[in-house]
Amino acid sequence: MTSIGGAEMVDWNLAVATATRFVRPGPDATRDEARAVVAELRRHAKASEEHVRAFTRMVPEGVTPRDTPVLVVDRAGWIRANVAGFRELLSPLLDKMRERRSDTAGGAVLGAVGGKVTGVELGMLLSFLASRVLGQYETFAPASRSLPDGAPAAGPGGNGGGRLLLVAPNIVHVERELGVDPHDFRLWVCLHEETHRTQFTGVPWLRDHLEGEIQSFLAETDVDPMTVLERLREAAQSLAGARPEGEEDEGRSLVELVQTPAQREILGRLTAVMSLLEGHADFVMDGVGPAVVPSVAEIREKFQQRRARGAGRLDLALRKLLGLDAKLRQYRDGERFVRAVVEEVGMDGFNRVWTSPNTLPTKAEIAKPADWVARVHRRAES
């Protein structure tokens, strides 16, 4: 455990315990029904692998990409996996804060708050998210007894193979809520998540690049305790509507309010990459869907409506606070970028995006796909 002022900063075990205690129960299902869902999701995941590779042409013929496991989990399993992932990704930042801990007033306050409170807060956040995620490709999380990892990633710095999680109770809950064909919906979800798996297994450098950007973002975090407290106070005032007189509300999320200028630059690059990955997955899902998912049009329409409206006022407020509304924009903007590029230069032309970090679109190019085509294609042809 990392500590400030002698107190644990994050009690990871308490985070897991809190999240699993407060997460909503899953939909009612008999043991046999649950087993049938798990078996079908595994079959669909395997079938999706072939569909996605054929459609995207990301994996050259004759090349076998690195294998990673597909795991069907419940909400508690998703929570355990994400706590492990947070712990892995945040360890450099927490080590940095431990080295710079001090006996200043701010450090004393943070030390008094301690890891118990932080663990509870993280647990409550995960309990909220655990009932909403349908699937997730985990790129960085370490293996555990219940959640094995894949083969070690190739290349420098690659020490985890990734794994695909399908959250069975959430998939069943949404298919019932939407009133769609359950077999079609399960395959439709698997197509989206398998695209993410193919992105990382078919592009060897992508994992290390993304991890490098995230670690750069964390390294720029201002770890002075008083500065952190001041930013959190400003964030709380903004969210409560207690802004200084004459100051306009920019509508930023809590995450955005605690960023440094350098972090905003990095976040811009990360936003572009995530928009690409999410939009590409939606594009592939729609491209493959009509051939293998008979009711894809109905599913897509109902699911888009569900995305847009959220589950209620509290859900909308939390989405804004956590920056999850930005993720919805990533789906929309990224899909529009991919579609425009494929229409202009074809699938193989679009796949130049996976050549290197230099061919990834910028945040501005996500909004203007023609600029990416001009930079990557016309420059290469000149």
Side-chain angles (χ1 to χ4, degrees), residues 1-273:
M1 291 294 181
T2 304
S3 60
I4 295 182
E8 291 180 351
M9 186 176 177
V10 181
D11 188 328
W12 301 104
N13 293 331
L14 183 57
V16 172
T18 301
T20 53
R21 177 183 178 186
F22 287 99
V23 69
R24 294 176 181 176
D28 292 332
T30 66
R31 186 180 297 274
D32 287 343
E33 287 173 336
R35 287 174 175 169
V37 171
V38 170
E40 184 173 22
L41 286 172
R42 287 174 176 158
R43 290 195 303 271
H44 284 333
K46 183 63 178 177
S48 296
E49 182 178 335
E50 182 178 340
H51 294 316
V52 169
R53 290 181 185 178
F55 182 81
T56 64
R57 301 200 288 273
M58 288 181 63
V59 180
E61 191 172 342
V63 174
T64 302
R66 177 171 43 85
D67 188 33
T68 57
V70 178
L71 306 172
V72 182
V73 299
D74 58 11
R75 291 171 177 175
W78 182 87
I79 288 167
R80 290 194 300 271
N82 276 266
V83 168
F86 279 134
R87 190 171 189 173
E88 186 84 355
L89 274 180
L90 293 177
S91 60
L93 172 63
L94 299 183
D95 288 344
K96 178 181 177 182
M97 296 183 77
R98 178 184 58 194
E99 292 169 1
R100 291 188 55 180
R101 70 181 184 269
S102 66
D103 56 0
T104 63
V109 170
L110 287 176
V113 170
K116 298 295 183 184
V117 173
T118 309
V120 169
E121 290 173 343
L122 177 59
M124 295 302 294
L125 168 62
L126 289 173
S127 72
F128 168 75
L129 296 175
S131 61
R132 287 159 172 77
V133 176
L134 301 183
Q136 175 184 359
Y137 186 78
E138 280 203 302
T139 313
F140 311 113
S144 66
R145 287 183 180 179
S146 59
L147 295 164
D149 203 351
N159 50 19
R163 60 198 179 198
L164 176 60
L165 305 181
L166 297 170
V167 190
N170 295 350
I171 294 172
V172 172
H173 172 78
V174 173
E175 70 191 26
R176 292 178 181 178
E177 178 187 332
L178 298 181
V180 295
D181 182 279
H183 308 294
D184 285 2
F185 184 74
R186 293 165 196 174
L187 176 55
W188 188 74
V189 170
C190 287
L191 289 171
H192 182 102
E193 302 306 334
E194 175 58 35
T195 303
H196 288 316
R197 183 167 175 251
T198 299
Q199 289 163 348
F200 283 95
T201 58
V203 183
W205 53 264
L206 184 58
R207 177 191 184 277
D208 287 343
H209 171 72
L210 193 58
E211 182 178 26
E213 290 282 60
I214 292 171
Q215 292 302 336
S216 295
F217 182 91
L218 295 176
E220 288 292 336
T221 299
D222 192 336
V223 295
D224 173 67
M226 291 306 296
T227 302
V228 172
L229 288 175
E230 177 64 19
R231 289 198 177 140
L232 289 174
R233 185 187 65 81
E234 292 173 0
Q237 287 182 342
S238 176
L239 293 167
R243 298 182 305 279
E245 187 175 354
E247 186 174 303
E248 293 296 326
D249 179 10
E250 299 179 10
R252 292 186 292 172
S253 70
L254 177 59
V255 174
E256 293 172 310
L257 284 165
V258 297
Q259 287 168 18
T260 65
Q263 283 177 313
R264 292 192 186 101
E265 292 184 13
I266 299 169
L267 186 70
R269 297 195 298 269
L270 279 170
T271 298
V273 174

